[in-house]
Amino acid sequence: MKQKIAVLGPGSWGTALAQVLAENGHDVSMWGHNPAQIDEINTYHTNRHYLPNIKIPESIVGYKDLREAITGVDAILFVVPTKAVRSVAQEVTEYIEGNPYIIHASKGLEQGSHKRISEILTEEIPAEKRKEIIVLSGPSHAEEVAVHDITTITAASEVEAAAKYVQDLFMNDYFRIYTNHDVIGVETGAALKNIIAIGAGAIAGLGFGDDAKAAIMTRGLAEISRLGVAMGADPLTFIGLSGVGDLIVTCTSVHSRNWRAGNLLGKGKNLDEILDNMGMIVEGVATTKAAMELAESLNVDMPITATIYSVLYEGKDIQQAARDIMLRDGKVENEFSQK
């Protein structure tokens, strides 16, 4: 059934998801803060800053006014940076009509509150103004989805019918969606893998090879699982698409801005300079701080995250940080099986 969908956030991922929806025959509007970007989308059907050389379907209409963008929609898809989710949700609540589904494809934890994206949306958009909230997440790069590379991700909701709704919206011959009920696990995996990707990039930048890459990804997954379970997630979620799947793609691809930032750190570049030149949000930097604070409040041991935090926020020498984490006391590997 043809649906009317508003995509909020015309970055690379928002644009790629809008393209999937339009190619599936849905009526798609896009909203963003940058008037020149919206004009480009409407006039030239391109978004060159985020997806160069990609032609956007002409059926997609860009809007500068949020009220116009969400008028009469069946679903609203949030693809804005984590730090903007709350303010945009507040604005949406002011203008919303009917009770659309609320979908989000953002990946992070809110600074200060340490809340997941769905928790923010639940707080800011009253239940009577919406249907269920669904998380769309998994191993994916906008650059590959935009050229129809095969991609599989997850739609997670506590209400199975809502997850199935999103599955039906997006499924086609190159973009496959699986459903999941574990919202906490899916959102936690999505947020925390960006931290580990910074570490994986740093390992490469320091000149270490595949053994080190395997080590940080595997033990990074252990940390993600440890914190996720403490938050109430199903541990099995982390061996799925939004756990190990997203971790693999983010820790091994040059498309990953978190990996690129870490790689430059490993090569001795200054963090502020890296972020200024990246041109896009590096979610893992802010997420490292939120995750570190959350882990401390839940008494969860996260040595890789703590090491990355010490480099990002305390100015620790990155080579010394790599040596120190290797010299920690010995640990049991399969910690969940010991309980």
Side-chain angles (χ1 to χ4, degrees), residues 129-168:
K129 289 195 171 188
R130 59 169 170 80
K131 292 186 176 72
E132 283 71 34
I133 294 172
I134 308 98
V135 184
L136 187 65
S137 186
S140 51
H141 285 306
E143 297 86 350
E144 298 187 0
V145 172
V147 295
H148 296 186
D149 270 9
I150 289 174
T151 303
T152 60
I153 64 174
T154 298
S157 174
E158 295 174 357
V159 178
E160 183 178 358
K164 184 68 167 60
Y165 170 79
V166 173
Q167 183 181 52
D168 291 342

PDB file of all heavy atoms in Angstrom, residues 129-168:
ATOM      1  N   LYS A 129      -0.658  11.277  19.995  1.00  0.00           N
ATOM      2  CA  LYS A 129      -0.329  11.934  18.731  1.00  0.00           C
ATOM      3  C   LYS A 129       0.433  11.026  17.770  1.00  0.00           C
ATOM      4  O   LYS A 129       0.881  11.483  16.712  1.00  0.00           O
ATOM      5  CB  LYS A 129       0.504  13.190  19.001  1.00  0.00           C
ATOM      6  CG  LYS A 129      -0.299  14.319  19.634  1.00  0.00           C
ATOM      7  CD  LYS A 129       0.458  15.634  19.530  1.00  0.00           C
ATOM      8  CE  LYS A 129      -0.428  16.798  19.945  1.00  0.00           C
ATOM      9  NZ  LYS A 129       0.203  18.104  19.681  1.00  0.00           N
ATOM     10  N   ARG A 130       0.595   9.777  18.127  1.00  0.00           N
ATOM     11  CA  ARG A 130       1.379   8.873  17.280  1.00  0.00           C
ATOM     12  C   ARG A 130       0.940   7.435  17.462  1.00  0.00           C
ATOM     13  O   ARG A 130       0.257   7.098  18.426  1.00  0.00           O
ATOM     14  CB  ARG A 130       2.860   8.977  17.645  1.00  0.00           C
ATOM     15  CG  ARG A 130       3.123   8.638  19.118  1.00  0.00           C
ATOM     16  CD  ARG A 130       4.578   8.482  19.439  1.00  0.00           C
ATOM     17  NE  ARG A 130       4.816   8.399  20.879  1.00  0.00           N
ATOM     18  CZ  ARG A 130       4.648   7.305  21.606  1.00  0.00           C
ATOM     19  NH1 ARG A 130       4.222   6.173  21.038  1.00  0.00           N
ATOM     20  NH2 ARG A 130       4.886   7.318  22.913  1.00  0.00           N
ATOM     21  N   LYS A 131       1.359   6.619  16.503  1.00  0.00           N
ATOM     22  CA  LYS A 131       1.295   5.165  16.696  1.00  0.00           C
ATOM     23  C   LYS A 131       2.605   4.743  17.358  1.00  0.00           C
ATOM     24  O   LYS A 131       3.250   5.542  18.023  1.00  0.00           O
ATOM     25  CB  LYS A 131       1.071   4.470  15.359  1.00  0.00           C
ATOM     26  CG  LYS A 131      -0.311   4.728  14.741  1.00  0.00           C
ATOM     27  CD  LYS A 131      -0.497   3.877  13.493  1.00  0.00           C
ATOM     28  CE  LYS A 131      -1.898   4.052  12.909  1.00  0.00           C
ATOM     29  NZ  LYS A 131      -2.061   5.395  12.262  1.00  0.00           N
ATOM     30  N   GLU A 132       3.030   3.517  17.153  1.00  0.00           N
ATOM     31  CA  GLU A 132       4.220   3.005  17.824  1.00  0.00           C
ATOM     32  C   GLU A 132       5.506   3.654  17.293  1.00  0.00           C
ATOM     33  O   GLU A 132       5.536   4.239  16.208  1.00  0.00           O
ATOM     34  CB  GLU A 132       4.320   1.492  17.660  1.00  0.00           C
ATOM     35  CG  GLU A 132       3.385   0.704  18.548  1.00  0.00           C
ATOM     36  CD  GLU A 132       1.931   0.817  18.124  1.00  0.00           C
ATOM     37  OE1 GLU A 132       1.667   0.914  16.906  1.00  0.00           O
ATOM     38  OE2 GLU A 132       1.059   0.824  19.006  1.00  0.00           O
ATOM     39  N   ILE A 133       6.568   3.495  18.094  1.00  0.00           N
ATOM     40  CA  ILE A 133       7.903   3.947  17.711  1.00  0.00           C
ATOM     41  C   ILE A 133       8.714   2.729  17.276  1.00  0.00           C
ATOM     42  O   ILE A 133       8.731   1.712  17.968  1.00  0.00           O
ATOM     43  CB  ILE A 133       8.591   4.662  18.886  1.00  0.00           C
ATOM     44  CG1 ILE A 133       7.836   5.959  19.214  1.00  0.00           C
ATOM     45  CG2 ILE A 133      10.062   4.951  18.573  1.00  0.00           C
ATOM     46  CD1 ILE A 133       8.310   6.643  20.470  1.00  0.00           C
ATOM     47  N   ILE A 134       9.379   2.849  16.133  1.00  0.00           N
ATOM     48  CA  ILE A 134      10.131   1.733  15.569  1.00  0.00           C
ATOM     49  C   ILE A 134      11.568   2.179  15.290  1.00  0.00           C
ATOM     50  O   ILE A 134      11.800   3.290  14.788  1.00  0.00           O
ATOM     51  CB  ILE A 134       9.497   1.224  14.248  1.00  0.00           C
ATOM     52  CG1 ILE A 134       8.009   0.926  14.432  1.00  0.00           C
ATOM     53  CG2 ILE A 134      10.230  -0.010  13.738  1.00  0.00           C
ATOM     54  CD1 ILE A 134       7.092   2.035  13.976  1.00  0.00           C
ATOM     55  N   VAL A 135      12.516   1.323  15.615  1.00  0.00           N
ATOM     56  CA  VAL A 135      13.933   1.581  15.361  1.00  0.00           C
ATOM     57  C   VAL A 135      14.343   0.889  14.070  1.00  0.00           C
ATOM     58  O   VAL A 135      14.049  -0.297  13.878  1.00  0.00           O
ATOM     59  CB  VAL A 135      14.802   1.041  16.509  1.00  0.00           C
ATOM     60  CG1 VAL A 135      16.269   1.401  16.287  1.00  0.00           C
ATOM     61  CG2 VAL A 135      14.310   1.545  17.850  1.00  0.00           C
ATOM     62  N   LEU A 136      15.015   1.606  13.193  1.00  0.00           N
ATOM     63  CA  LEU A 136      15.536   1.031  11.954  1.00  0.00           C
ATOM     64  C   LEU A 136      17.055   1.098  12.016  1.00  0.00           C
ATOM     65  O   LEU A 136      17.637   2.189  12.025  1.00  0.00           O
ATOM     66  CB  LEU A 136      15.012   1.820  10.750  1.00  0.00           C
ATOM     67  CG  LEU A 136      15.316   1.256   9.364  1.00  0.00           C
ATOM     68  CD1 LEU A 136      14.621  -0.087   9.145  1.00  0.00           C
ATOM     69  CD2 LEU A 136      14.879   2.237   8.284  1.00  0.00           C
ATOM     70  N   SER A 137      17.709  -0.061  12.099  1.00  0.00           N
ATOM     71  CA  SER A 137      19.147  -0.055  12.355  1.00  0.00           C
ATOM     72  C   SER A 137      19.796  -1.330  11.847  1.00  0.00           C
ATOM     73  O   SER A 137      19.137  -2.356  11.691  1.00  0.00           O
ATOM     74  CB  SER A 137      19.397   0.082  13.868  1.00  0.00           C
ATOM     75  OG  SER A 137      20.760   0.229  14.141  1.00  0.00           O
ATOM     76  N   GLY A 138      21.110  -1.258  11.628  1.00  0.00           N
ATOM     77  CA  GLY A 138      21.840  -2.442  11.202  1.00  0.00           C
ATOM     78  C   GLY A 138      23.029  -2.087  10.345  1.00  0.00           C
ATOM     79  O   GLY A 138      23.324  -0.911  10.119  1.00  0.00           O
ATOM     80  N   PRO A 139      23.735  -3.093   9.827  1.00  0.00           N
ATOM     81  CA  PRO A 139      24.967  -2.856   9.065  1.00  0.00           C
ATOM     82  C   PRO A 139      24.679  -2.247   7.699  1.00  0.00           C
ATOM     83  O   PRO A 139      24.204  -2.928   6.783  1.00  0.00           O
ATOM     84  CB  PRO A 139      25.570  -4.263   8.937  1.00  0.00           C
ATOM     85  CG  PRO A 139      24.396  -5.190   9.044  1.00  0.00           C
ATOM     86  CD  PRO A 139      23.432  -4.524   9.982  1.00  0.00           C
ATOM     87  N   SER A 140      24.955  -0.970   7.561  1.00  0.00           N
ATOM     88  CA  SER A 140      24.571  -0.277   6.330  1.00  0.00           C
ATOM     89  C   SER A 140      25.393   0.981   6.150  1.00  0.00           C
ATOM     90  O   SER A 140      25.678   1.690   7.117  1.00  0.00           O
ATOM     91  CB  SER A 140      23.082   0.087   6.382  1.00  0.00           C
ATOM     92  OG  SER A 140      22.786   0.751   7.602  1.00  0.00           O
ATOM     93  N   HIS A 141      25.765   1.254   4.923  1.00  0.00           N
ATOM     94  CA  HIS A 141      26.367   2.531   4.561  1.00  0.00           C
ATOM     95  C   HIS A 141      25.503   3.167   3.491  1.00  0.00           C
ATOM     96  O   HIS A 141      25.111   2.511   2.506  1.00  0.00           O
ATOM     97  CB  HIS A 141      27.781   2.344   4.013  1.00  0.00           C
ATOM     98  CG  HIS A 141      28.793   2.032   5.076  1.00  0.00           C
ATOM     99  ND1 HIS A 141      28.962   2.827   6.188  1.00  0.00           N
ATOM    100  CD2 HIS A 141      29.692   1.020   5.190  1.00  0.00           C
ATOM    101  CE1 HIS A 141      29.922   2.316   6.944  1.00  0.00           C
ATOM    102  NE2 HIS A 141      30.370   1.223   6.376  1.00  0.00           N
ATOM    103  N   ALA A 142      25.189   4.443   3.660  1.00  0.00           N
ATOM    104  CA  ALA A 142      24.348   5.151   2.700  1.00  0.00           C
ATOM    105  C   ALA A 142      24.930   5.073   1.298  1.00  0.00           C
ATOM    106  O   ALA A 142      24.193   4.923   0.311  1.00  0.00           O
ATOM    107  CB  ALA A 142      24.201   6.607   3.134  1.00  0.00           C
ATOM    108  N   GLU A 143      26.264   5.170   1.208  1.00  0.00           N
ATOM    109  CA  GLU A 143      26.910   5.164  -0.104  1.00  0.00           C
ATOM    110  C   GLU A 143      26.632   3.872  -0.867  1.00  0.00           C
ATOM    111  O   GLU A 143      26.572   3.871  -2.102  1.00  0.00           O
ATOM    112  CB  GLU A 143      28.428   5.333   0.062  1.00  0.00           C
ATOM    113  CG  GLU A 143      28.840   6.655   0.686  1.00  0.00           C
ATOM    114  CD  GLU A 143      28.831   6.648   2.214  1.00  0.00           C
ATOM    115  OE1 GLU A 143      28.322   5.673   2.817  1.00  0.00           O
ATOM    116  OE2 GLU A 143      29.335   7.618   2.801  1.00  0.00           O
ATOM    117  N   GLU A 144      26.455   2.773  -0.159  1.00  0.00           N
ATOM    118  CA  GLU A 144      26.212   1.487  -0.808  1.00  0.00           C
ATOM    119  C   GLU A 144      24.729   1.254  -1.070  1.00  0.00           C
ATOM    120  O   GLU A 144      24.353   0.733  -2.117  1.00  0.00           O
ATOM    121  CB  GLU A 144      26.831   0.369   0.031  1.00  0.00           C
ATOM    122  CG  GLU A 144      28.348   0.524   0.148  1.00  0.00           C
ATOM    123  CD  GLU A 144      29.030  -0.657   0.827  1.00  0.00           C
ATOM    124  OE1 GLU A 144      28.340  -1.619   1.214  1.00  0.00           O
ATOM    125  OE2 GLU A 144      30.270  -0.603   0.953  1.00  0.00           O
ATOM    126  N   VAL A 145      23.890   1.647  -0.118  1.00  0.00           N
ATOM    127  CA  VAL A 145      22.439   1.532  -0.334  1.00  0.00           C
ATOM    128  C   VAL A 145      22.021   2.373  -1.538  1.00  0.00           C
ATOM    129  O   VAL A 145      21.189   1.952  -2.354  1.00  0.00           O
ATOM    130  CB  VAL A 145      21.667   1.967   0.924  1.00  0.00           C
ATOM    131  CG1 VAL A 145      20.158   2.037   0.645  1.00  0.00           C
ATOM    132  CG2 VAL A 145      21.944   1.005   2.078  1.00  0.00           C
ATOM    133  N   ALA A 146      22.610   3.548  -1.694  1.00  0.00           N
ATOM    134  CA  ALA A 146      22.232   4.457  -2.780  1.00  0.00           C
ATOM    135  C   ALA A 146      22.528   3.888  -4.165  1.00  0.00           C
ATOM    136  O   ALA A 146      21.877   4.268  -5.146  1.00  0.00           O
ATOM    137  CB  ALA A 146      22.944   5.796  -2.612  1.00  0.00           C
ATOM    138  N   VAL A 147      23.487   2.952  -4.246  1.00  0.00           N
ATOM    139  CA  VAL A 147      23.796   2.330  -5.545  1.00  0.00           C
ATOM    140  C   VAL A 147      23.286   0.890  -5.607  1.00  0.00           C
ATOM    141  O   VAL A 147      23.702   0.089  -6.435  1.00  0.00           O
ATOM    142  CB  VAL A 147      25.308   2.375  -5.850  1.00  0.00           C
ATOM    143  CG1 VAL A 147      25.767   3.812  -6.018  1.00  0.00           C
ATOM    144  CG2 VAL A 147      26.124   1.660  -4.777  1.00  0.00           C
ATOM    145  N   HIS A 148      22.351   0.569  -4.679  1.00  0.00           N
ATOM    146  CA  HIS A 148      21.641  -0.713  -4.685  1.00  0.00           C
ATOM    147  C   HIS A 148      22.521  -1.904  -4.341  1.00  0.00           C
ATOM    148  O   HIS A 148      22.250  -3.027  -4.795  1.00  0.00           O
ATOM    149  CB  HIS A 148      20.933  -0.949  -6.031  1.00  0.00           C
ATOM    150  CG  HIS A 148      19.859   0.048  -6.327  1.00  0.00           C
ATOM    151  ND1 HIS A 148      19.022  -0.074  -7.424  1.00  0.00           N
ATOM    152  CD2 HIS A 148      19.463   1.170  -5.682  1.00  0.00           C
ATOM    153  CE1 HIS A 148      18.174   0.946  -7.434  1.00  0.00           C
ATOM    154  NE2 HIS A 148      18.427   1.720  -6.376  1.00  0.00           N
ATOM    155  N   ASP A 149      23.566  -1.696  -3.553  1.00  0.00           N
ATOM    156  CA  ASP A 149      24.274  -2.846  -3.000  1.00  0.00           C
ATOM    157  C   ASP A 149      23.335  -3.602  -2.054  1.00  0.00           C
ATOM    158  O   ASP A 149      22.480  -2.999  -1.408  1.00  0.00           O
ATOM    159  CB  ASP A 149      25.512  -2.391  -2.215  1.00  0.00           C
ATOM    160  CG  ASP A 149      26.742  -2.303  -3.093  1.00  0.00           C
ATOM    161  OD1 ASP A 149      26.607  -2.426  -4.319  1.00  0.00           O
ATOM    162  OD2 ASP A 149      27.846  -2.085  -2.549  1.00  0.00           O
ATOM    163  N   ILE A 150      23.503  -4.909  -1.962  1.00  0.00           N
ATOM    164  CA  ILE A 150      22.651  -5.718  -1.081  1.00  0.00           C
ATOM    165  C   ILE A 150      22.915  -5.343   0.375  1.00  0.00           C
ATOM    166  O   ILE A 150      24.054  -5.317   0.838  1.00  0.00           O
ATOM    167  CB  ILE A 150      22.916  -7.220  -1.313  1.00  0.00           C
ATOM    168  CG1 ILE A 150      22.357  -7.632  -2.684  1.00  0.00           C
ATOM    169  CG2 ILE A 150      22.305  -8.059  -0.196  1.00  0.00           C
ATOM    170  CD1 ILE A 150      22.677  -9.052  -3.078  1.00  0.00           C
ATOM    171  N   THR A 151      21.830  -5.039   1.102  1.00  0.00           N
ATOM    172  CA  THR A 151      21.908  -4.594   2.500  1.00  0.00           C
ATOM    173  C   THR A 151      20.795  -5.262   3.295  1.00  0.00           C
ATOM    174  O   THR A 151      19.668  -5.388   2.814  1.00  0.00           O
ATOM    175  CB  THR A 151      21.752  -3.063   2.582  1.00  0.00           C
ATOM    176  OG1 THR A 151      22.765  -2.440   1.783  1.00  0.00           O
ATOM    177  CG2 THR A 151      21.856  -2.570   4.010  1.00  0.00           C
ATOM    178  N   THR A 152      21.111  -5.686   4.534  1.00  0.00           N
ATOM    179  CA  THR A 152      20.083  -6.232   5.424  1.00  0.00           C
ATOM    180  C   THR A 152      20.182  -5.531   6.774  1.00  0.00           C
ATOM    181  O   THR A 152      21.261  -5.430   7.352  1.00  0.00           O
ATOM    182  CB  THR A 152      20.261  -7.755   5.637  1.00  0.00           C
ATOM    183  OG1 THR A 152      21.547  -8.009   6.210  1.00  0.00           O
ATOM    184  CG2 THR A 152      20.126  -8.508   4.336  1.00  0.00           C
ATOM    185  N   ILE A 153      19.046  -5.020   7.257  1.00  0.00           N
ATOM    186  CA  ILE A 153      19.022  -4.355   8.551  1.00  0.00           C
ATOM    187  C   ILE A 153      17.777  -4.784   9.336  1.00  0.00           C
ATOM    188  O   ILE A 153      17.011  -5.639   8.882  1.00  0.00           O
ATOM    189  CB  ILE A 153      19.090  -2.823   8.415  1.00  0.00           C
ATOM    190  CG1 ILE A 153      17.862  -2.259   7.693  1.00  0.00           C
ATOM    191  CG2 ILE A 153      20.353  -2.400   7.686  1.00  0.00           C
ATOM    192  CD1 ILE A 153      17.837  -0.731   7.671  1.00  0.00           C
ATOM    193  N   THR A 154      17.566  -4.171  10.497  1.00  0.00           N
ATOM    194  CA  THR A 154      16.533  -4.600  11.432  1.00  0.00           C
ATOM    195  C   THR A 154      15.533  -3.484  11.705  1.00  0.00           C
ATOM    196  O   THR A 154      15.918  -2.323  11.849  1.00  0.00           O
ATOM    197  CB  THR A 154      17.176  -5.020  12.771  1.00  0.00           C
ATOM    198  OG1 THR A 154      18.037  -6.129  12.539  1.00  0.00           O
ATOM    199  CG2 THR A 154      16.125  -5.404  13.797  1.00  0.00           C
ATOM    200  N   ALA A 155      14.255  -3.852  11.794  1.00  0.00           N
ATOM    201  CA  ALA A 155      13.208  -2.962  12.293  1.00  0.00           C
ATOM    202  C   ALA A 155      12.775  -3.507  13.647  1.00  0.00           C
ATOM    203  O   ALA A 155      12.290  -4.637  13.743  1.00  0.00           O
ATOM    204  CB  ALA A 155      12.022  -2.917  11.339  1.00  0.00           C
ATOM    205  N   ALA A 156      12.977  -2.723  14.700  1.00  0.00           N
ATOM    206  CA  ALA A 156      12.697  -3.201  16.049  1.00  0.00           C
ATOM    207  C   ALA A 156      11.590  -2.387  16.707  1.00  0.00           C
ATOM    208  O   ALA A 156      11.614  -1.160  16.697  1.00  0.00           O
ATOM    209  CB  ALA A 156      13.958  -3.128  16.913  1.00  0.00           C
ATOM    210  N   SER A 157      10.624  -3.089  17.266  1.00  0.00           N
ATOM    211  CA  SER A 157       9.543  -2.467  18.018  1.00  0.00           C
ATOM    212  C   SER A 157       9.010  -3.477  19.020  1.00  0.00           C
ATOM    213  O   SER A 157       9.061  -4.690  18.779  1.00  0.00           O
ATOM    214  CB  SER A 157       8.416  -2.002  17.088  1.00  0.00           C
ATOM    215  OG  SER A 157       7.310  -1.527  17.829  1.00  0.00           O
ATOM    216  N   GLU A 158       8.500  -2.981  20.132  1.00  0.00           N
ATOM    217  CA  GLU A 158       7.869  -3.867  21.100  1.00  0.00           C
ATOM    218  C   GLU A 158       6.549  -4.412  20.570  1.00  0.00           C
ATOM    219  O   GLU A 158       6.037  -5.406  21.086  1.00  0.00           O
ATOM    220  CB  GLU A 158       7.648  -3.111  22.412  1.00  0.00           C
ATOM    221  CG  GLU A 158       8.948  -2.703  23.093  1.00  0.00           C
ATOM    222  CD  GLU A 158       8.726  -1.831  24.308  1.00  0.00           C
ATOM    223  OE1 GLU A 158       7.548  -1.499  24.585  1.00  0.00           O
ATOM    224  OE2 GLU A 158       9.709  -1.469  24.979  1.00  0.00           O
ATOM    225  N   VAL A 159       6.013  -3.771  19.537  1.00  0.00           N
ATOM    226  CA  VAL A 159       4.763  -4.205  18.905  1.00  0.00           C
ATOM    227  C   VAL A 159       5.108  -4.821  17.554  1.00  0.00           C
ATOM    228  O   VAL A 159       5.591  -4.129  16.650  1.00  0.00           O
ATOM    229  CB  VAL A 159       3.784  -3.027  18.730  1.00  0.00           C
ATOM    230  CG1 VAL A 159       2.499  -3.481  18.037  1.00  0.00           C
ATOM    231  CG2 VAL A 159       3.468  -2.395  20.084  1.00  0.00           C
ATOM    232  N   GLU A 160       4.884  -6.098  17.409  1.00  0.00           N
ATOM    233  CA  GLU A 160       5.306  -6.821  16.205  1.00  0.00           C
ATOM    234  C   GLU A 160       4.703  -6.229  14.935  1.00  0.00           C
ATOM    235  O   GLU A 160       5.376  -6.125  13.905  1.00  0.00           O
ATOM    236  CB  GLU A 160       4.915  -8.295  16.325  1.00  0.00           C
ATOM    237  CG  GLU A 160       5.387  -9.145  15.147  1.00  0.00           C
ATOM    238  CD  GLU A 160       5.032 -10.620  15.302  1.00  0.00           C
ATOM    239  OE1 GLU A 160       4.455 -10.986  16.350  1.00  0.00           O
ATOM    240  OE2 GLU A 160       5.330 -11.396  14.374  1.00  0.00           O
ATOM    241  N   ALA A 161       3.431  -5.838  14.978  1.00  0.00           N
ATOM    242  CA  ALA A 161       2.771  -5.296  13.792  1.00  0.00           C
ATOM    243  C   ALA A 161       3.447  -4.008  13.319  1.00  0.00           C
ATOM    244  O   ALA A 161       3.488  -3.722  12.114  1.00  0.00           O
ATOM    245  CB  ALA A 161       1.290  -5.052  14.071  1.00  0.00           C
ATOM    246  N   ALA A 162       3.968  -3.227  14.252  1.00  0.00           N
ATOM    247  CA  ALA A 162       4.645  -1.985  13.884  1.00  0.00           C
ATOM    248  C   ALA A 162       5.967  -2.277  13.185  1.00  0.00           C
ATOM    249  O   ALA A 162       6.311  -1.637  12.185  1.00  0.00           O
ATOM    250  CB  ALA A 162       4.877  -1.134  15.124  1.00  0.00           C
ATOM    251  N   ALA A 163       6.725  -3.232  13.705  1.00  0.00           N
ATOM    252  CA  ALA A 163       7.963  -3.627  13.045  1.00  0.00           C
ATOM    253  C   ALA A 163       7.679  -4.179  11.653  1.00  0.00           C
ATOM    254  O   ALA A 163       8.414  -3.904  10.692  1.00  0.00           O
ATOM    255  CB  ALA A 163       8.702  -4.663  13.885  1.00  0.00           C
ATOM    256  N   LYS A 164       6.588  -4.937  11.525  1.00  0.00           N
ATOM    257  CA  LYS A 164       6.207  -5.493  10.219  1.00  0.00           C
ATOM    258  C   LYS A 164       5.815  -4.380   9.247  1.00  0.00           C
ATOM    259  O   LYS A 164       6.101  -4.469   8.043  1.00  0.00           O
ATOM    260  CB  LYS A 164       5.035  -6.465  10.416  1.00  0.00           C
ATOM    261  CG  LYS A 164       4.588  -7.184   9.150  1.00  0.00           C
ATOM    262  CD  LYS A 164       5.648  -8.150   8.656  1.00  0.00           C
ATOM    263  CE  LYS A 164       5.108  -9.095   7.589  1.00  0.00           C
ATOM    264  NZ  LYS A 164       4.604  -8.427   6.394  1.00  0.00           N
ATOM    265  N   TYR A 165       5.190  -3.329   9.753  1.00  0.00           N
ATOM    266  CA  TYR A 165       4.831  -2.179   8.917  1.00  0.00           C
ATOM    267  C   TYR A 165       6.082  -1.580   8.279  1.00  0.00           C
ATOM    268  O   TYR A 165       6.119  -1.315   7.071  1.00  0.00           O
ATOM    269  CB  TYR A 165       4.106  -1.138   9.764  1.00  0.00           C
ATOM    270  CG  TYR A 165       3.890   0.193   9.077  1.00  0.00           C
ATOM    271  CD1 TYR A 165       2.867   0.359   8.148  1.00  0.00           C
ATOM    272  CD2 TYR A 165       4.709   1.293   9.364  1.00  0.00           C
ATOM    273  CE1 TYR A 165       2.667   1.580   7.512  1.00  0.00           C
ATOM    274  CE2 TYR A 165       4.517   2.513   8.739  1.00  0.00           C
ATOM    275  CZ  TYR A 165       3.493   2.654   7.816  1.00  0.00           C
ATOM    276  OH  TYR A 165       3.299   3.870   7.177  1.00  0.00           O
ATOM    277  N   VAL A 166       7.123  -1.379   9.086  1.00  0.00           N
ATOM    278  CA  VAL A 166       8.361  -0.809   8.564  1.00  0.00           C
ATOM    279  C   VAL A 166       9.056  -1.789   7.619  1.00  0.00           C
ATOM    280  O   VAL A 166       9.618  -1.397   6.592  1.00  0.00           O
ATOM    281  CB  VAL A 166       9.284  -0.396   9.726  1.00  0.00           C
ATOM    282  CG1 VAL A 166      10.656   0.051   9.218  1.00  0.00           C
ATOM    283  CG2 VAL A 166       8.638   0.725  10.530  1.00  0.00           C
ATOM    284  N   GLN A 167       9.004  -3.057   7.945  1.00  0.00           N
ATOM    285  CA  GLN A 167       9.556  -4.080   7.050  1.00  0.00           C
ATOM    286  C   GLN A 167       8.911  -3.992   5.674  1.00  0.00           C
ATOM    287  O   GLN A 167       9.599  -3.999   4.642  1.00  0.00           O
ATOM    288  CB  GLN A 167       9.319  -5.463   7.656  1.00  0.00           C
ATOM    289  CG  GLN A 167       9.908  -6.616   6.871  1.00  0.00           C
ATOM    290  CD  GLN A 167       9.598  -7.951   7.529  1.00  0.00           C
ATOM    291  OE1 GLN A 167       8.441  -8.255   7.824  1.00  0.00           O
ATOM    292  NE2 GLN A 167      10.634  -8.739   7.788  1.00  0.00           N
ATOM    293  N   ASP A 168       7.604  -3.856   5.642  1.00  0.00           N
ATOM    294  CA  ASP A 168       6.883  -3.774   4.371  1.00  0.00           C
ATOM    295  C   ASP A 168       7.182  -2.480   3.624  1.00  0.00           C
ATOM    296  O   ASP A 168       7.206  -2.462   2.391  1.00  0.00           O
ATOM    297  CB  ASP A 168       5.383  -3.899   4.612  1.00  0.00           C
ATOM    298  CG  ASP A 168       4.971  -5.294   5.072  1.00  0.00           C
ATOM    299  OD1 ASP A 168       5.757  -6.233   4.873  1.00  0.00           O
ATOM    300  OD2 ASP A 168       3.869  -5.433   5.641  1.00  0.00           O
TER     301      ASP A 168
END
